[in-house]
Amino acid sequence: MSFIRKIGYAVGLPLILFGLWFVLSSGSESFYAPPLGTILTAFGDTWTWPAIRADVLPSLLRLAAGYLLAAVVGVTLGVAIGLDRRLRATVEPVLEFFRAVPPPVLVPVIMLFAGIGDAMKVIVIVFGCVWPILLNTVEGVRAVDSVQLETARAYGVTGPARITRVILPSASPQIAAGLRQALSIAIILMVISEMFAASNGLGFTIVQFQRSFAIPEMWSGIILLGLLGFGLSLLFRLAERRALRWYEGLRAAQRTR
């Protein structure tokens, strides 16, 4: 499949939906659901470089910090837990308990200890993102082929080399699945955390537009948020395919048998 065709599949349906929205809303007289043309005009007037620098870039920096920290913590703990059966049996009930707690509920609690600055927002993102990464890493490590482990041991591949050359590559498809799930959670939590005692960011700005009844500008912020999520998802897919090229090749070979 050519690159242009892949891009067409990725953006085709969103463009069709935007076209339908534009046509169906063109005659709207509702204050809360203005025509898409009005929203797009507000989009161009609102999201200039000063607004992007003041609100979008801080949001992306918090998102990146929380997501990367959650990835490091989740993969590190996931490998350790996945390799030790006793440790896994001990901590699994605790992990399931914290995984079931919705991160937005903990925002007021985190504010008490971390304040209302960027640290609070990053911690909220980390707490929500770490669980899918950690649990998928544990399952990926557990699923490593025992034949591979025995072969590595026979060739003297032990210690850190065993983890970096055998375990992590074998578990990488499962780890990538956890990272993919965590990315969407990170975007949601980025917005939610900025709705609490913030002075900038996309979440803060969208709420300010809503409170001041700047409805077209509010919708423009929602569209921008969707575009950012769509763009980050595409970047993740490109990075995932590049990193797991061997895995995609293996699956393609298995399908042709």
Side-chain angles (χ1 to χ4, degrees):
M1 185 182 296
S2 66
F3 178 75
I4 296 178
R5 184 176 296 180
K6 291 179 181 179
I7 295 296
Y9 282 130
V11 303
L13 181 59
L15 289 178
I16 292 173
L17 293 177
F18 263 91
L20 289 174
W21 184 5
F22 189 92
V23 172
L24 296 176
S25 65
S26 59
S28 175
E29 298 180 357
S30 171
F31 179 76
Y32 298 105
L36 180 57
T38 303
I39 296 173
L40 294 178
T41 301
F43 187 100
D45 295 337
T46 303
W47 300 109
T48 57
W49 171 244
I52 292 175
R53 183 177 57 187
D55 294 309
V56 179
L57 292 183
S59 293
L60 292 178
L61 289 175
R62 294 167 190 143
L63 173 67
Y67 182 75
L68 293 177
L69 185 57
V72 172
V73 174
V75 172
T76 302
L77 292 180
V79 170
I81 296 171
L83 290 175
D84 193 323
R85 184 178 301 176
R86 293 182 179 178
L87 178 61
R88 185 167 63 249
T90 302
V91 302
E92 195 167 32
V94 178
L95 295 180
E96 292 296 332
F97 172 80
F98 281 107
R99 185 178 70 89
V101 177
V105 174
L106 295 178
V107 171
V109 178
I110 296 175
M111 287 174 59
L112 293 177
F113 296 96
I116 59 175
D118 290 341
M120 179 272 290
K121 300 170 180 60
V122 171
I123 291 173
V124 171
I125 295 172
V126 171
F127 186 86
C129 293
V130 73
W131 306 114
I133 300 173
L134 191 154
L135 294 175
N136 276 277
T137 302
V138 171
E139 293 303 317
V141 171
R142 289 180 60 188
V144 175
D145 191 354
S146 59
V147 175
Q148 291 183 345
L149 296 176
E150 292 299 327
T151 304
R153 186 179 294 109
Y155 279 94
V157 181
T158 57
R162 176 170 171 261
I163 294 175
T164 57
R165 297 183 181 181
V166 180
I167 294 174
L168 283 178
S170 298
S172 56
Q174 193 79 16
I175 295 173
L179 291 170
R180 193 185 313 114
Q181 295 173 14
L183 180 60
S184 59
I185 296 174
I187 296 172
I188 295 171
L189 294 178
M190 175 196 75
V191 176
I192 292 176
S193 65
E194 291 173 349
M195 292 180 175
F196 292 87
S199 58
N200 61 9
L202 265 174
F204 167 79
T205 304
I206 291 172
V207 170
Q208 291 299 110
F209 286 147
Q210 182 264 333
R211 290 174 177 173
S212 59
F213 293 97
I215 303 302
E217 289 77 9
M218 180 194 74
W219 279 106
S220 73
I222 295 173
I223 291 176
L224 177 59
L225 186 61
L227 292 175
L228 287 175
F230 180 72
L232 291 174
S233 177
L234 285 181
L235 289 176
F236 184 88
R237 287 184 183 180
L238 292 175
E240 181 183 20
R241 288 179 180 176
R242 191 176 186 86
L244 299 180
R245 188 176 300 171
W246 63 271
Y247 179 69
E248 296 295 335
L250 179 62
R251 291 182 60 187
Q254 290 175 345
R255 286 195 295 266
T256 56
R257 288 180 181 177

